[in-house]
Amino acid sequence: MRLDTSNPPGNEIRGALYLKELLARGGVASEIFEPEPGRANLYARLRGTGSAPGLVLHHHIDVVPASAAGWLRPPFAAVVFNDLVLHGRGVLDTKGLGIAQLEAFLALKRSGRAPARDVVFLATADEERGGRLGVSAVYEKRPAWLAGVGEVLGEGGDVETIVDKARWFGIEVQQKGALWLRLEASGAGGHAASADESGPAARVARAAARLAAMTRPVQLEPVLERQLTALARVRLTDQAAALRRIAADVARDPEGVRRRVTPWQRLLLSDTVSVTRLGTDSDAVNAHPQKAWAEVDVRLLPSTSPEAFLADAVKVIDDPGVKVTTLLSARGEAASPETGLYTVLRSVLVSRFPGAVVAPVLGPGLSENRVFRSRGIQAYGALPFRVNYYDAAGIHGVNERMRVDWFAEGVETVTRIVREAAASPARGVPPR
């Protein structure tokens, strides 16, 4: 965490070299691949007997940038406060997961027993900016790294901890798609004393506002229906009843459902549009710019294709003077089945956290699980740590943190998951 791998610019080579050193101390050879200078991916493999497809332990080295403003402790100092809480960028997203996976990987090596399947440790670059230099680049330039793999344990999922008790673990089996758009307009510029409603800044502002105001239909995806039904088991009576009848309510009164559900549930019931950046080529408040732009982050339900949404967006903007460019297009891939590695995850989490409800979830975020799924690899996102509401708010925010004892507990959890999945991967177990 003290190695600043903020993306941009990335510099993941710092983390890759550190991981390579730790692997070497454990007697494991590893390789580093840089699709661009300093943008590093790392790979190591423990050979198994080959009786089952390989298992990948995946995390990303890069983190979102963090300035010191608002942090109780410097974001890259990795300070343990009061011997209890570790503060620092990446502890939850996803350097904490990566180190837990590394510990599990090295424990498997120390056991001296050949697992039933190859186990791959994979740390990649550029996830926070869409992953062009990460798993996608590995598949393109280092396909041997992922040869023979069948399942992936990666980031994602969620956990709910109330007064130290973990009562909910969501295993991400599917995620929303994403469409990142750039809106651009050009003009002659000029003095701002002359109103110019057709100038580039005004046109881009109107286009961005129209996209932000789009109302997308409410749609209950199959995974989300199972997720909400399971979540009812840890909710109060009235809330639980509403969650159990969610399918009937969506069919009868979708807009009423949109108004009633929590903000988190709302974003999983519909496509969403977020205007994230705006700018012009002018530094003057009293001059019309010659160029203006905006960037928009759209998150799509798995049932919405990026192409269909883009066509709708162009119609809504309704301005041929605004150029729409796609920066990233990633559809929501088919859900990974609730078998195999999923059953191992569920079994271990239920065993280690008695009383916790474990269920499949639809993830709202964008991770490289989608790249694996697009190639027929079953990918599962799991957060193996107890994390409470307040600490989870630090992901991509300020004061990202985790209790030290919960991190140690999570390392033990991941070690057991990897040991059981590597020794006897479950197959064909029907979902409950």
Side-chain angles (χ1 to χ4, degrees), residues 59-81:
H59 81 286
H60 59 88
I61 303 171
D62 62 320
V63 297
V64 294
S67 67
W71 284 73
L72 298 175
R73 300 291 181 272
F76 295 101
V79 172
V80 177
F81 181 61

Side-chain angles (χ1 to χ4, degrees), residues 179-183 208 211 273-276 294-298:
L179 185 66
W180 294 353
L181 302 175
R182 183 176 175 91
L183 316 179
L211 286 184
V273 181
S274 297
V275 179
T276 54
E295 290 180 351
V296 181
D297 183 343
V298 181

Side-chain angles (χ1 to χ4, degrees), residues 142-180:
R142 295 292 188 277
W145 283 15
L146 297 171
V149 304
E151 293 181 318
V152 176
L153 176 60
E155 72 169 312
D158 52 41
V159 58
E160 189 173 280
T161 305
I162 305 296
V163 193
D164 291 4
K165 181 176 176 60
R167 65 176 187 175
W168 164 267
F169 285 94
I171 301 172
E172 188 248 277
V173 299
Q174 190 178 32
Q175 58 187 203
K176 294 180 78 173
L179 185 66
W180 294 353

Side-chain angles (χ1 to χ4, degrees), residues 176-414:
K176 294 180 78 173
L179 185 66
W180 294 353
L181 302 175
R182 183 176 175 91
L183 316 179
E184 296 174 287
S186 301
H191 200 292
S194 173
D196 185 5
E197 294 183 359
S198 64
R203 300 182 88 150
V204 166
R206 283 195 299 269
R210 288 170 181 166
L211 286 184
M214 288 179 74
T215 300
R216 301 292 292 177
V218 172
Q219 176 72 35
L220 183 63
E221 302 286 329
V223 170
L224 180 60
E225 183 177 357
R226 295 198 298 280
Q227 173 181 343
L228 296 181
T229 301
L231 192 61
R233 295 168 57 190
V234 295
R235 290 292 179 265
L236 298 175
T237 303
D238 290 348
Q239 296 171 331
L243 291 175
R244 291 192 182 100
R245 65 172 185 265
I246 189 75
D249 285 352
V250 166
R252 179 180 55 84
D253 182 18
E255 291 308 312
V257 171
R258 193 199 301 270
R259 291 190 298 270
R260 288 194 301 271
V261 296
T262 67
W264 182 260
Q265 293 162 1
R266 188 177 304 126
L267 65 87
L268 293 171
L269 283 164
S270 180
D271 305 326
T272 60
V273 181
S274 297
V275 179
T276 54
R277 302 212 307 154
L278 296 157
T280 74
D281 65 347
S282 172
D283 294 327
V285 69
N286 60 344
H288 290 294
Q290 292 182 307
K291 294 182 180 180
W293 57 270
E295 290 180 351
V296 181
D297 183 343
V298 181
R299 299 302 169 105
L300 304 172
L301 294 176
S303 56
T304 303
S305 75
E307 296 80 10
F309 184 93
L310 181 59
D312 289 346
V314 172
K315 289 179 184 177
V316 167
I317 291 171
D318 192 27
D319 186 347
V322 175
K323 178 183 177 183
V324 182
T325 303
T326 298
L327 303 178
L328 180 144
S329 178
R331 65 182 63 249
E333 301 292 340
S336 297
E338 293 154 43
T339 58
L341 179 59
Y342 177 91
T343 62
V344 174
L345 286 164
R346 185 184 184 283
S347 173
V348 171
L349 290 170
V350 167
S351 172
R352 287 186 61 80
F353 301 97
V357 175
V358 181
V361 299
L362 171 66
L366 182 72
S367 79
E368 291 175 295
N369 289 342
R370 75 184 193 280
V371 181
F372 292 110
R373 291 185 184 124
S374 72
R375 293 175 175 267
I377 308 301
Q378 310 307 330
Y380 302 91
L383 190 61
F385 310 104
R386 276 190 281 174
V387 179
N388 62 35
Y389 172 84
Y390 303 100
D391 294 347
I395 299 175
H396 287 208
V398 299
N399 297 316
E400 187 175 350
R401 63 197 184 217
M402 189 193 313
R403 272 179 43 175
V404 173
D405 55 338
W406 289 357
F407 173 74
E409 176 186 70
V411 171
E412 295 173 358
T413 301
V414 175

